[in-house]
Amino acid sequence: MASATDSRYGQKESSDQNFDYMFKILIIGNSSVGKTSFLFRYADDSFTPAFVSTVGIDFKVKTIYRNDKRIKLQIWDTAGQERYRTITTAYYRGAMGFILMYDITNEESFNAVQDWSTQIKTYSWDNAQVLLVGNKCDMEDERVVSSERGRQLADHLGFEFFEASAKDNINVKQTFERLVDVICEKMSESLDTADPAVTGAKQGPQLSDQQVPPHQDCAC
Amino acid sequence: MASAPAEAETRQRLLRTVKKEVKQIMEEAVTRKFVHEDSSHIISFCAAVEACVLHGLRRRAAGFLRSNKIAALFMKVGKNFPPAEDLSRKVQDLEQLIESARNQIQGLQENVRKLPKLPNLSPLAIKHLWIRTALFEKVLDKIVHYLVENSSKYYEKEALLMDPVDGPILASLLVGPCALEYTKMKTADHFWTDPSADELVQRHRIHSSHVRQDSPTKRPALCIQKRHSSGSMDDRPSLSARDYVESLHQNSRATLLYGKNNVLVQPRDDMEAVPGYLSLHQTADVMTLKWTPNQLMNGSVGDLDYEKSVYWDYAMTIRLEEIVYLHCHQQVDSGGTVVLVSQDGIQRPPFRFPKGGHLLQFLSCLENGLLPHGQLDPPLWSQRGKGKVFPKLRKRSPQGSAESTSSDKDDDEATDYVFRIIYPGMQSEFVAPDFLGSTSSVSVGPAWMMVPAGRSMLVVARGSQWEPARWDTTLPTPSPKEQPPMPQDLMDVSVSNLPSLWQPSPRKSSCSSCSQSGSADGSSTNGCNHERAPLKLLCDNMKYQILSRAFYGWLAYCRHLSTVRTHLSALVNHMIVSPDLPCDAGQGLTARIWEQYLHDSTSYEEQELLRLIYYGGIQPEIRKAVWPFLLGHYQFGMTETERKEVDEQIHACYAQTMAEWLGCEAIVRQRERESHAAALAKCSSGASLDSHLHRMLHRDSTISNESSQSCSSGRQNIRLHSDSSSSTQVFESVDEVEQVEAEGRLEEKQPKIPNGNLVNGTCSPDSGHPSSHNFSSGLSEHSEPSLSTEDSVLDAQRNTPTVLRPRDGSVDDRQSSEATTSQDEAPREELAVQDSLESDLLANESMDEFMSITGSLDMALPEKDDVVMEGWRSSETEKHGQADSEDNLSEEPEMESLFPALASLAVTTSANEVSPVSSSGVTYSPELLDLYTVNLHRIEKDVQRCDRNYWYFTPANLEKLRNIMCSYIWQHIEIGYVQGMCDLLAPLLVILDDEALAFSCFTELMKRMNQNFPHGGAMDTHFANMRSLIQILDSELFELMHQNGDYTHFYFCYRWFLLDFKRELVYDDVFLVWETIWAAKHVSSAHYVLFIALALVEVYRDIILENNMDFTDIIKFFNEMAERHNTKQVLKLARDLVYKVQTLIENK
């Protein structure tokens, strides 16, 4: 199984489209904190200020390569407004990682982090890994949430913390990579105690849930 | 010059290379279903072809000075041969592009779309640009063919293309690769990522470019399908030609057991035998024998005729499980002949194998393939050194079975054999031919087989050994429990099987020995010495079978129709409106017709106008004029003055609403500036999280720390006091308690606000801006637990609807009848009984309230009035009730009951310091302010990012958008702004370009659309309806969806329904689709959106099926396809689907 140490990422030419693991990742947070931009930056390396609000749900796929394993990330972008909660929470099931995002220029979005984290605890699976991300860190002039506070809150909630900017492409890739790392770590922990047969390369999304036994104790 | 043998050797080498490359490309095409343009095989293929074409080229033909000989040659050919001329032009364009790309690497992005290829070719690709392009353009084979035919003009005599054998071989080798299509993936990491929607559509186009009329796409779901069980060529129409040829190769689904070319078959009596490719395939459960005429195999018929080629009719696909006997005849002069006889006695045309033991090989492969369940009887013998050989049998087999006797002559060397295919594992389930008695067991297959008399009964009897097992699976008997699910299947099978069962042997048997036995009256002279069957009994049985099947078919159909009627009849209007009567509506509503109508409103019926719109849309210029009618802002038939009146009313209403929320907004802005400044200050000072949060929360709730603390202590005191003593307590600080009162009221409202926030706030991250809701959640975590918990107790109790409701009523009564004390007392007492703690507080609060609330304020929200609260709380309230009553008169009962929370939003407290007063002198309750602030923020976020790329949305027009949205939300603050509403307003504003008009139309539109938002319940209904529709109209797709589980949620159409496809289409198409939806309500279906959704699914159904998409794939696919649909096609399909459902219901 892959170790959790820092490893080389990159893409390797291969002739088959299969993958070894699939991680389902959700990006959540208040509306207009930049979830969609963040996703586009990561998946397509593009940014446009003209994004429209997400209604319902969307997702993108990105496959990365690490530790000789192809990992397919299925990244879901959710609607931020709480009216869509009933729909978006349905997608929490089976998610292995969350990027909980707030906007450093928006106090309210930061204040809501606690509640989002409660949502995760309520609707997702215990082992789901969460990263707290303060987006729009390029807008230093309009900052109302200091890094310090973000870090404090992340510590308090037991999440890792990043400040990022989808616009200036700061920390976007790092955030996802870290999340993948954390998930892999968690997975190897789980797998150490689990049937080694499960560690074999699996294909197909339907198997991804089984890769980590669902009844592990949550470490966070 | 080299010697002739050396030249021949070179030619062979060249040809071999090409062969190898062709093979590789074809292999890639088969295994991966597509070939990438940048595949290395293509590059090496091009090199190989180039070498051949240049071999022995005359200098003159190549041009002396040209560096690119291929270019020179092709251009020369182009002078006489049009395809080459086309090609030359294309390649030269491409070359120019590459050239300019070199000069200027940027700026080519626009061209990319229009050109077939991206100009960023690899150097290797550029080297073979001509061959490569010819290949992609599918003219390479033609050009080479031309070169071969005119080789003397271009080539030296030793050239490969001059060779009478090798030249044509090369040309025909190239046919294969030229028939393929090549794709270009967008990204370099195409092996990694899933194919984009674009790519899928492209592949599908490639794939199905030959799709015939009767492909599954066009298959009407309910019509009777021909599914012959014994027909030999019926698999073919369901596959595209390409698929078919591909299916002949070894692939992932089927193992190729045997393949032999040049097997002769005489397809028709009047024809010569045709050579073809015989192949034996094994999949998980069936073995199939296919024979394909050579004409189809190498596609020499020509592209256009290929699909229509008569040879398709000759191709055969035989399922081996249908075959009972193999008659083998070995002739001295030719290789051998096999005749297959199926269980129904039909003989297939004989396959004539070439000389050289191919027949035996075939049998041996077949025997291996049959294992483990089946075997040949008699089995082939294994002979050391020779492998399998024909069994050496004499007249009688050891088992004494007549069939296994392999010879009908007493030769020592048997040359004719009859093999039976048996499945020893299958137990005989033969049902006695008592068909009158067997009501439901339609599965007794053997009885109705038309067999040449001679062998009939025996065949029947033997066949039945394994047959029932098969029939049971293919023929669902209409047992009661499986009535509704898939009735059409049942019906299709039961009805469509009949013809094939009836048909007597379609061809004259050409197997000499058997035809004798077949045509003879049974007392055969050869080895097939069967018993004679009473033919009449057989016919009778057959008749009963047919009747019973027809009956069940009919029954199933009726049941299915009744299901359809129950589920679908509500979805469409039953009146079918024709697109052609009274006139063709394809042109839509034109300006001329509209003008005429406005001039004289009797000239066209409303229905007729709607029909025109439904079938043809509205001419863009008059949309602005027609839309208000369609949306119900105007009624059809209104005179101009009436319309003016409506407009004036709307304008007045709009202006009024604007004034109201603008006032509110001013205050909100003021508040925000303060809090923002504080936040910035806080941020810079770096204060600790907790204290900051704490402070913010208090600020948000517009209550100072001091006052809330004091009041909480006050309340704690109250707890300890009795009713009477509480009144003295209260007067300690009137102002403060008033604030608490406001806050308490707010909190008791909170749960009822339809967005579902809970008071404790733990699950509402986005509840938004400064609200007392935050306040309470904050408190519960921080320093003042007493206050917040007490409040929630209060909430819970006060909000018990059963308690509130009657009270509301009584308050209304009282107020309308000028408030009598006695009526007030009643609810008051009711409360008091309820809970002593609560009543303590109530008494307490009501005192304050009535101290503070003196003047009433007409807070101008038509449907909101205050005061239920004040009303029932104030026990001694003559003065007070009077004040309130004015507002209560305008109360709308149903709004009140739906949203009781509204009642107190407009508080009438001029004396209240907390409630801010706007410049117009109107005051707003803090709750309303909070609520409005939250919504204002949401609106602004969405307005800012609403279609900024569309020309219309300049800052000025965005401002209009915002104004309209704010006005609408102000009037519907109980619903509040939900993301997506802006999308619905935007197209209206673009067309109408008038704030008040757009406001009115939007209000009308939202009457329907509101239900789709999360607070309405329509979405689930849509999904359920979609499910039913797909189930009935496209069962194949439905099965896929079922099989892929989660699908049933139909979330992939969530956005479609939510926004009426606004995000799926470009603006111009949105206009068209929307007006069609509006018109459809009166023309065809009030649920027309369903049919558009269904049409969208159906347009891509083949892609969905081909790629076996699951729920996530399909979400991704449609998200990527947004704004790229062919709207005209979708709308037409949607109309057709409506029509289909209508006719289904009508049962015509």
Side-chain angles (χ1 to χ4, degrees):
Chain A
M1 189 46 229
S3 80
T5 52
D6 193 19
S7 67
R8 189 181 59 86
Y9 286 84
Q11 298 185 345
K12 195 177 83 172
E13 198 68 3
S14 160
S15 61
D16 77 39
Q17 297 197 28
N18 294 330
F19 47 87
D20 299 307
Y21 295 101
M22 191 183 78
F23 292 166
K24 180 174 167 186
I25 292 172
L26 258 79
I27 309 182
I28 57 173
N30 271 15
S31 62
S32 82
V33 297
K35 296 180 292 297
T36 306
S37 299
F38 200 74
L39 175 58
F40 271 73
R41 171 59 81 188
Y42 181 61
D44 297 350
D45 197 21
S46 63
F47 179 84
T48 156
F51 278 120
V52 294
S53 61
T54 310
V55 296
I57 196 124
D58 190 5
F59 80 96
K60 284 195 170 285
V61 172
K62 180 147 174 131
T63 312
I64 60 170
Y65 188 74
R66 60 153 282 158
N67 289 351
D68 298 324
K69 290 278 184 285
R70 280 155 298 179
I71 299 174
K72 179 170 167 180
L73 301 182
Q74 190 185 66
I75 311 165
W76 291 81
D77 181 20
T78 60
Q81 198 182 335
E82 86 271 3
R83 287 293 175 82
Y84 291 104
R85 189 78 41 76
T86 45
I87 297 150
T88 51
T89 49
Y91 290 86
Y92 284 27
R93 194 167 53 91
M96 308 175 81
F98 287 85
I99 289 182
L100 202 176
M101 189 172 289
Y102 67 90
D103 172 0
I104 64 152
T105 67
N106 184 319
E107 178 78 33
E108 174 197 338
S109 74
F110 180 71
N111 292 338
V113 165
Q114 176 78 54
D115 293 331
W116 282 110
S117 120
T118 312
Q119 292 280 311
I120 296 174
K121 297 239 159 63
T122 314
Y123 291 102
S124 87
W125 163 52
D126 285 349
N127 263 348
Q129 301 299 308
V130 187
L131 253 61
L132 181 65
V133 174
N135 195 21
K136 308 194 187 176
C137 71
D138 55 294
M139 296 163 78
E140 198 56 50
D141 293 347
E142 294 169 54
R143 179 193 280 274
V144 294
V145 182
S146 66
S147 301
E148 181 56 20
R149 288 175 60 206
R151 192 168 303 281
Q152 272 184 24
L153 182 59
D155 287 348
H156 175 68
L157 295 168
F159 305 154
E160 291 197 33
F161 176 69
F162 281 91
E163 281 202 349
S165 162
K167 189 180 171 195
D168 290 359
N169 199 3
I170 301 168
N171 265 347
V172 177
K173 197 164 167 234
Q174 288 84 337
T175 303
F176 280 99
E177 286 176 355
R178 184 59 202 149
L179 183 59
V180 169
D181 273 350
V182 175
I183 293 172
C184 283
E185 260 172 63
K186 193 76 207 168
M187 232 168 76
S188 50
E189 267 173 44
S190 310
L191 289 169
D192 287 343
T193 58
D195 179 10
V198 190
T199 53
K202 294 286 169 101
Q203 291 160 2
Q206 70 279 7
L207 292 172
S208 61
D209 278 354
Q210 300 161 4
Q211 280 164 9
V212 187
H215 299 300
Q216 291 291 312
D217 290 330
C218 184
C220 50
Chain B
M1 183 170 286
S3 64
E7 279 301 329
E9 179 56 34
T10 315
R11 286 199 295 269
Q12 287 311 311
R13 190 175 42 77
L14 285 171
L15 208 55
R16 262 202 310 278
T17 325
V18 175
K19 253 185 204 165
K20 193 182 112 223
E21 295 303 335
V22 169
K23 229 175 196 172
Q24 264 168 351
I25 288 183
M26 299 308 273
E27 223 163 65
E28 190 178 344
V30 169
T31 51
R32 302 188 53 186
K33 284 215 154 194
F34 64 97
V35 182
H36 193 260
E37 281 183 5
D38 290 339
S39 162
S40 59
H41 293 153
I42 292 189
I43 290 170
S44 45
F45 170 80
C46 289
V49 172
E50 191 166 320
C52 289
V53 172
L54 292 180
H55 181 246
L57 189 66
R58 287 189 182 184
R59 288 194 166 192
R60 200 159 39 80
F64 290 110
L65 301 171
R66 294 297 294 260
S67 55
N68 190 341
K69 290 181 176 166
I70 290 281
L73 177 65
F74 278 24
M75 266 143 74
K76 191 156 273 178
V77 172
K79 283 175 188 155
N80 303 314
F81 189 55
E85 191 186 357
D86 275 358
L87 176 74
S88 301
R89 215 178 33 250
K90 276 177 189 150
V91 180
Q92 278 164 340
D93 286 351
L94 211 54
E95 278 176 335
Q96 263 180 2
L97 262 176
I98 294 166
E99 196 54 39
S100 61
R102 275 192 196 128
N103 299 338
Q104 172 198 6
I105 289 157
Q106 305 294 324
L108 270 174
Q109 296 310 311
E110 301 86 77
N111 294 328
V112 170
R113 272 275 158 95
K114 295 165 206 153
L115 283 162
K117 315 284 171 309
L118 291 165
N120 56 349
L121 298 160
S122 66
L124 271 175
I126 291 172
K127 189 170 165 225
H128 303 296
L129 190 64
W130 283 78
I131 301 274
R132 186 186 161 85
T133 314
L135 174 68
F136 296 158
E137 297 290 328
K138 301 187 184 17
V139 290
L140 183 60
D141 56 329
K142 299 193 182 74
I143 292 175
V144 172
H145 189 73
Y146 176 87
L147 283 173
V148 169
E149 281 184 341
N150 302 280
S151 50
S152 55
K153 201 165 152 192
Y154 303 101
Y155 288 96
E156 309 285 356
K157 73 174 187 330
E158 77 282 358
L160 181 116
L161 268 65
M162 278 291 270
D163 192 284
V165 177
D166 293 348
I169 287 181
L170 176 67
S172 50
L173 272 176
L174 299 180
V175 171
C178 283
L180 299 177
E181 300 249 2
Y182 301 87
T183 64
K184 183 99 208 155
M185 302 270 297
K186 216 169 57 185
T187 53
D189 58 346
H190 58 97
F191 294 125
W192 280 94
T193 51
D194 289 338
S196 67
D198 244 359
E199 177 67 18
L200 290 177
V201 173
Q202 160 78 355
R203 277 188 211 169
H204 177 71
R205 213 166 40 75
I206 288 170
H207 206 64
S208 61
S209 52
H210 303 300
V211 170
R212 302 161 63 96
Q213 275 301 306
D214 49 0
S215 82
T217 335
K218 280 120 192 162
R219 173 169 65 82
L222 257 189
C223 77
I224 297 164
Q225 301 159 37
K226 298 250 186 239
R227 262 193 231 166
H228 297 245
S229 56
S230 63
S232 57
M233 317 157 186
D234 304 295
D235 283 359
R236 187 256 308 156
S238 62
L239 295 166
S240 74
R242 187 187 138 92
D243 269 337
Y244 182 78
V245 173
E246 265 177 22
S247 75
L248 296 178
H249 302 283
Q250 168 110 21
N251 55 43
S252 54
R253 263 170 292 168
T255 319
L256 181 63
L257 292 176
Y258 178 80
K260 178 76 197 91
N261 57 358
N262 295 328
V263 173
L264 293 172
V265 168
Q266 185 181 6
R268 289 208 326 248
D269 289 343
D270 52 347
M271 280 181 66
E272 284 295 302
V274 180
Y277 175 68
L278 181 76
S279 50
L280 184 64
H281 306 266
Q282 184 168 43
T283 61
D285 38 36
V286 289
M287 268 216 282
T288 325
L289 191 65
K290 293 186 177 186
W291 179 81
T292 316
N294 281 352
Q295 283 82 351
L296 294 180
M297 289 304 291
N298 49 28
S300 61
V301 190
D303 276 350
L304 282 178
D305 304 329
Y306 185 60
E307 282 303 312
K308 292 175 191 124
S309 162
V310 288
Y311 290 106
W312 279 120
D313 295 332
Y314 304 149
M316 279 192 279
T317 302
I318 302 169
R319 287 154 62 98
L320 267 194
E321 58 182 15
E322 290 163 3
I323 301 300
V324 188
Y325 290 102
L326 285 97
H327 294 222
C328 305
H329 309 281
Q330 285 178 305
Q331 280 110 25
V332 185
D333 53 336
S334 71
T337 309
V338 171
V339 179
L340 303 178
V341 184
S342 53
Q343 61 215 0
D344 48 7
I346 295 172
Q347 293 186 358
R348 311 305 169 117
F351 298 108
R352 277 183 228 158
F353 285 87
K355 271 192 229 177
H358 295 295
L359 174 58
L360 193 59
Q361 269 174 19
F362 168 71
L363 289 172
S364 133
C365 289
L366 177 66
E367 189 177 41
N368 281 333
L370 283 170
L371 293 172
H373 302 298
Q375 61 187 61
L376 285 181
D377 180 28
L380 295 173
W381 289 9
S382 294
Q383 202 176 68
R384 198 176 295 266
K386 274 175 130 182
K388 297 276 182 180
V389 294
F390 282 101
K392 301 258 190 300
L393 294 174
R394 299 291 165 164
K395 240 179 187 173
R396 295 269 157 197
S397 73
Q399 298 88 1
S401 149
E403 293 74 49
S404 52
T405 313
S406 53
S407 70
D408 54 358
K409 289 174 201 163
D410 272 340
D411 286 345
D412 273 358
E413 297 242 334
T415 54
D416 290 358
Y417 294 86
V418 178
F419 292 98
R420 189 158 62 99
I421 298 176
I422 55 170
Y423 297 82
M426 310 277 188
Q427 286 306 307
S428 169
E429 294 168 35
F430 184 59
V431 181
D434 172 22
F435 296 112
L436 280 172
S438 66
T439 46
S440 69
S441 64
V442 196
S443 56
V444 266
W448 18 268
M449 290 184 302
M450 179 69 103
V451 188
R455 294 164 301 139
S456 55
M457 274 326 277
L458 249 179
V459 172
V460 166
R462 300 298 154 127
S464 64
Q465 282 185 357
W466 55 277
E467 231 175 11
R470 192 177 77 81
W471 283 112
D472 284 340
T473 53
T474 52
L475 290 183
T477 50
S479 66
K481 62 180 174 218
E482 55 174 331
Q483 283 159 13
M486 282 288 141
Q488 76 266 38
D489 269 353
L490 169 59
M491 199 200 61
D492 293 343
V493 173
S494 53
V495 180
S496 63
N497 270 324
L498 295 180
S500 65
L501 292 167
W502 261 118
Q503 71 189 7
S505 182
R507 311 167 216 285
K508 202 178 122 196
S509 168
S510 31
C511 163
S512 57
S513 66
C514 305
S515 63
Q516 283 157 17
S517 71
S519 53
D521 64 349
S523 57
S524 60
T525 55
N526 58 18
C528 313
N529 51 344
H530 309 312
E531 295 163 43
R532 226 177 142 168
L535 196 58
K536 187 171 180 306
L537 178 68
L538 207 63
C539 290
D540 283 349
N541 286 339
M542 222 153 19
K543 207 157 72 188
Y544 294 131
Q545 279 297 308
I546 291 163
L547 280 176
S548 77
R549 293 176 138 256
F551 171 74
Y552 282 116
W554 171 80
L555 191 66
Y557 184 70
C558 289
R559 283 178 179 146
H560 180 60
L561 273 187
S562 90
T563 321
V564 169
R565 289 212 182 91
T566 343
H567 289 287
L568 301 187
S569 66
L571 299 182
V572 293
N573 301 355
H574 292 200
M575 249 276 290
I576 298 178
V577 177
S578 158
D580 310 312
L581 294 171
C583 62
D584 176 31
Q587 291 304 305
L589 182 60
T590 59
R592 192 186 52 78
I593 296 174
W594 185 247
E595 213 168 280
Q596 200 175 338
Y597 173 74
L598 285 185
H599 202 68
D600 169 17
S601 62
T602 57
S603 60
Y604 284 92
E605 294 278 322
E606 174 184 350
Q607 192 62 31
E608 171 62 7
L609 295 174
L610 291 171
R611 187 184 72 91
L612 290 173
I613 296 169
Y614 177 67
Y615 283 105
I618 302 173
Q619 198 178 324
E621 295 76 31
I622 55 167
R623 282 203 171 115
K624 185 176 164 78
V626 184
W627 277 26
F629 286 87
L630 275 180
L631 282 162
H633 171 73
Y634 302 131
Q635 302 300 315
F636 280 97
M638 272 185 171
T639 63
E640 202 172 340
T641 42
E642 282 170 331
R643 292 203 299 268
K644 277 223 173 79
E645 227 167 76
V646 171
D647 283 344
E648 274 161 20
Q649 279 170 13
I650 288 295
H651 268 105
C653 169
Y654 183 68
Q656 166 76 12
T657 315
M658 280 272 282
E660 285 164 19
W661 64 258
L662 277 173
C664 189
E665 191 174 315
I667 299 161
V668 170
R669 293 266 180 257
Q670 177 61 35
R671 273 200 333 187
E672 249 159 37
R673 268 194 296 279
E674 290 164 16
S675 77
H676 191 71
L680 277 174
K682 187 95 296 179
C683 181
S684 53
S685 75
S688 85
L689 173 66
D690 281 44
S691 73
H692 176 74
L693 271 179
H694 191 131
R695 189 124 36 112
M696 281 306 293
L697 290 166
H698 284 271
R699 184 179 299 281
D700 289 349
S701 56
T702 72
I703 296 172
S704 73
N705 255 336
E706 198 194 346
S707 71
S708 64
Q709 265 152 6
S710 73
C711 84
S712 81
S713 61
R715 285 190 184 196
Q716 276 163 340
N717 289 341
I718 290 164
R719 260 191 174 158
L720 310 170
H721 287 279
S722 70
D723 209 299
S724 55
S725 62
S726 69
S727 60
T728 53
Q729 277 281 337
V730 167
F731 287 100
E732 281 177 9
S733 69
V734 170
D735 283 352
E736 282 164 11
V737 184
E738 162 55 25
Q739 285 165 354
V740 172
E741 147 64 19
E743 164 209 324
R745 209 186 302 143
L746 171 83
E747 291 195 1
E748 76 198 347
K749 294 313 163 354
Q750 205 79 39
K752 285 191 253 166
I753 290 172
N755 65 12
N757 289 343
L758 292 178
V759 186
N760 64 16
T762 47
C763 57
S764 59
D766 194 17
S767 66
H769 193 76
S771 71
S772 42
H773 161 71
N774 274 348
F775 177 60
S776 78
S777 70
L779 285 174
S780 63
E781 284 167 36
H782 297 100
S783 62
E784 288 138 330
S786 64
L787 175 53
S788 74
T789 46
E790 223 170 86
D791 280 352
S792 25
V793 169
L794 255 178
D795 295 335
Q797 287 164 341
R798 285 191 196 165
N799 285 314
T800 317
T802 48
V803 181
L804 256 180
R805 202 73 66 205
R807 213 180 284 139
D808 289 355
S810 71
V811 170
D812 290 349
D813 286 346
R814 167 183 61 76
Q815 285 159 344
S816 55
S817 62
E818 288 289 304
T820 65
T821 329
S822 60
Q823 270 170 320
D824 284 335
E825 289 301 337
R828 163 90 180 83
E829 275 162 21
E830 196 181 322
L831 260 184
V833 179
Q834 238 183 57
D835 185 310
S836 66
L837 169 61
E838 187 188 1
S839 56
D840 280 356
L841 287 166
L842 286 177
N844 178 11
E845 285 169 8
S846 63
M847 293 288 265
D848 320 324
E849 189 169 58
F850 115 80
M851 295 299 289
S852 58
I853 300 178
T854 48
S856 87
L857 245 267
D858 30 312
M859 244 294 329
L861 291 182
E863 78 269 39
K864 299 161 192 91
D865 27 327
D866 53 340
V867 240
V868 183
M869 296 310 158
E870 282 87 345
W872 58 261
R873 267 195 226 134
S874 46
S875 48
E876 309 116 292
T877 53
E878 277 95 330
K879 342 164 195 180
H880 197 160
Q882 207 147 13
D884 291 339
S885 62
E886 287 163 28
D887 292 313
N888 275 309
L889 289 176
S890 62
E891 186 170 323
E892 288 178 9
E894 87 276 5
M895 287 312 278
E896 178 63 33
S897 61
L898 276 173
F899 306 107
L902 292 173
S904 70
L905 286 180
V907 184
T908 59
T909 50
S910 62
N912 187 342
E913 296 121 337
V914 182
S915 291
V917 184
S918 79
S919 52
S920 59
V922 183
T923 48
Y924 304 93
S925 73
E927 305 80 38
L928 182 64
L929 276 175
D930 282 349
L931 207 49
Y932 181 72
T933 311
V934 171
N935 280 300
L936 184 67
H937 281 235
R938 291 177 187 156
I939 293 170
E940 282 180 340
K941 278 177 195 168
D942 264 20
V943 165
Q944 279 161 15
R945 45 183 175 166
C946 179
D947 297 317
R948 294 302 304 272
N949 295 328
Y950 191 65
W951 61 271
Y952 182 84
F953 291 105
T954 58
N957 284 332
L958 283 177
E959 182 68 21
K960 284 186 196 168
L961 189 76
R962 195 187 83 99
N963 289 344
I964 301 166
M965 190 51 76
C966 286
S967 303
Y968 177 79
I969 294 303
W970 183 257
Q971 288 195 352
H972 299 83
I973 195 107
E974 76 285 351
I975 292 169
Y977 179 78
V978 186
Q979 281 179 353
M981 288 182 176
C982 264
D983 287 272
L984 290 172
L985 173 58
L988 292 181
L989 185 61
V990 171
I991 289 292
L992 301 169
D993 198 29
D994 174 288
E995 276 187 47
L997 191 59
F999 169 74
S1000 167
C1001 288
F1002 180 66
T1003 310
E1004 295 288 337
L1005 178 68
M1006 285 304 287
K1007 284 177 185 166
R1008 175 170 63 89
M1009 301 310 289
N1010 240 330
Q1011 296 307 308
N1012 293 331
F1013 283 89
H1015 53 266
M1019 201 53 86
D1020 289 336
T1021 321
H1022 286 317
F1023 292 162
N1025 285 333
M1026 271 298 274
R1027 203 185 131 89
S1028 306
L1029 279 173
I1030 291 186
Q1031 181 170 13
I1032 282 154
L1033 296 176
D1034 192 343
S1035 53
E1036 199 182 351
L1037 192 62
F1038 184 78
E1039 271 165 38
L1040 177 84
M1041 293 183 162
H1042 242 314
Q1043 159 200 328
N1044 287 340
D1046 238 3
Y1047 235 134
T1048 41
H1049 296 307
F1050 283 92
Y1051 266 131
F1052 65 88
C1053 11
Y1054 188 88
R1055 196 171 69 186
W1056 304 357
F1057 294 130
L1058 187 76
L1059 305 178
D1060 264 0
F1061 305 93
K1062 191 263 176 184
R1063 294 254 182 108
E1064 315 312 315
L1065 308 167
V1066 294
Y1067 259 87
D1068 283 340
D1069 289 339
V1070 171
F1071 303 145
L1072 178 64
V1073 165
W1074 280 21
E1075 62 206 18
T1076 315
I1077 293 172
W1078 301 331
K1081 186 181 175 190
H1082 308 284
V1083 177
S1084 73
S1085 165
H1087 303 269
Y1088 190 63
V1089 280
L1090 282 175
F1091 292 91
I1092 300 179
L1094 189 62
L1096 269 180
V1097 174
E1098 286 296 302
V1099 165
Y1100 304 103
R1101 76 176 291 279
D1102 288 353
I1103 299 178
I1104 295 169
L1105 286 173
E1106 264 169 32
N1107 294 286
N1108 192 18
M1109 289 190 181
D1110 68 3
F1111 172 64
T1112 50
D1113 294 333
I1114 203 167
I1115 288 188
K1116 181 161 171 281
F1117 179 79
F1118 277 110
N1119 278 341
E1120 286 172 3
M1121 282 307 288
E1123 304 194 346
R1124 337 174 66 149
H1125 303 290
N1126 179 346
T1127 309
K1128 287 252 156 60
Q1129 181 199 0
V1130 170
L1131 277 182
K1132 178 164 187 321
L1133 190 53
R1135 283 188 292 257
D1136 291 348
L1137 287 167
V1138 174
Y1139 180 73
K1140 200 190 258 178
V1141 173
Q1142 283 174 327
T1143 46
L1144 262 184
I1145 289 167
E1146 225 178 41
N1147 192 18
K1148 273 182 180 165

